[in-house]
Amino acid sequence: GIPDSSECLAMAGPANSAPRLSVKQRGRGRATDELRERCFERVRENRQALLSRLRGFSDNQGYADPFRSLARTVLEEVSGRNLHAEPWEDLDEEAMIALEEEIMLELAAQEQLRIEEAEKLLEDQNDEDSALYEQFMLPGVPCPLCGLGRLQKIKGELRCSGCKEMRASLMDEELPIDDIFEMLGVAEERHHAAGCQVRGSFEVSHDFGAPLLFHCCKDCGWREVVF
């Protein structure tokens, strides 16, 4: 007789069941996943070396697509096989080709990131150089503490137009700024003449009540008052 609906469903099996993978197919999937993880680990850990090789591929006109060539090299080195010359019985060939594409895209992204980082570094360096040049061109004596502001005489003190740390008492308020500049140079020369080859630094100390400017060296222990 004609089978009823329940018998038809039983014969057809579950309506939404996916085709079952064979043991061989499941093994290939696991092997592909493991190889993918190892390849991307290689790309992450050896980014600089791989990108250097990429530029080598680019310089060699025998490589039409340097990203693809390097992706294939990574895949073959990690797997220890020749991608097109050996049978891949434990790995799906289409999956390998797709993995090669993934590695190629990752390498391209890493190279773009490297370019952006280099451009940002160059831009920051240019900004820093421009700021230093602008400060260098300003008139007056540079602050011995911050090096950016200019020294000013205000209410019996030597101050900086750029930082708050530079506030040293002046015994002679009529002392010209040019003389102050020479005294800073003499302080450095005296330290050097004492036999130390390390460049010292200036600092303001309040240990004696009024703020005084000292020239100091942590390497040799030199400490001498300037103002």
Side-chain angles (χ1 to χ4, degrees):
I2 299 176
D4 60 23
S5 59
S6 61
E7 290 176 323
C8 289
L9 289 174
M11 293 169 59
N16 296 323
S17 63
R20 298 182 61 184
L21 296 175
S22 67
V23 174
K24 186 175 183 179
Q25 287 174 318
R26 290 198 297 271
R28 285 180 173 178
R30 285 194 297 270
T32 301
D33 291 340
E34 292 174 0
L35 182 56
R36 175 184 289 104
E37 183 177 347
R38 289 162 56 199
C39 286
F40 277 84
E41 183 178 356
R42 169 73 68 88
V43 171
R44 288 191 297 268
E45 293 182 353
N46 298 275
R47 174 190 171 193
Q48 294 299 331
L50 287 173
L51 294 181
S52 295
R53 292 172 67 180
L54 176 66
R55 288 185 285 279
F57 281 134
S58 299
D59 293 337
N60 190 333
Q61 296 181 358
Y63 294 93
D65 188 338
F67 287 105
R68 184 176 300 280
S69 299
L70 184 56
R72 183 169 302 169
T73 299
V74 171
L75 185 54
E76 292 179 345
E77 288 180 351
V78 172
S79 65
R81 308 184 190 185
N82 187 307
L83 185 60
H84 296 295
E86 299 179 19
W88 293 61
E89 295 181 357
D90 58 332
L91 296 169
D92 183 83
E93 183 177 355
E94 292 185 0
M96 289 303 93
I97 296 174
L99 179 53
E100 181 183 318
E101 293 285 338
E102 290 183 45
I103 299 173
M104 182 183 68
L105 293 175
E106 177 64 19
L107 288 169
Q110 291 291 340
E111 174 66 0
Q112 181 61 33
L113 179 61
R114 184 198 66 80
I115 293 174
E116 292 175 357
E117 290 175 347
E119 290 176 347
K120 181 64 167 58
L121 182 63
L122 181 60
E123 181 181 346
D124 291 344
Q125 184 63 52
N126 288 337
D127 291 343
E128 183 178 342
D129 291 344
S130 296
L132 289 175
Y133 179 75
E134 290 176 3
Q135 290 294 332
F136 177 77
M137 295 302 294
L138 289 176
V141 177
C143 171
L145 299 190
C146 72
L148 298 177
R150 292 298 183 263
L151 292 179
Q152 302 171 332
K153 294 188 296 181
I154 301 176
K155 298 181 179 179
E157 289 184 337
L158 191 62
R159 301 183 186 180
C160 173
S161 62
C163 71
K164 297 180 180 180
E165 288 75 18
M166 182 60 225
R167 293 189 63 175
S169 296
L170 281 174
M171 300 299 294
D172 182 3
E173 297 184 20
E174 301 300 323
L175 188 66
I177 286 292
D178 288 344
D179 290 356
I180 292 174
F181 177 69
E182 291 183 8
M183 293 175 68
L184 294 173
V186 168
E188 292 183 317
E189 291 174 1
R190 283 173 55 83
H191 169 235
H192 181 73
C196 183
Q197 301 301 314
V198 178
R199 185 174 182 178
S201 61
F202 293 92
E203 63 181 44
V204 173
S205 173
H206 297 264
D207 295 342
F208 304 97
L212 300 175
L213 180 67
F214 284 82
H215 185 248
C216 311
C217 177
K218 295 181 180 180
D219 191 74
C220 70
W222 180 271
R223 182 177 172 86
E224 184 180 57
V225 64
V226 183
F227 304 118

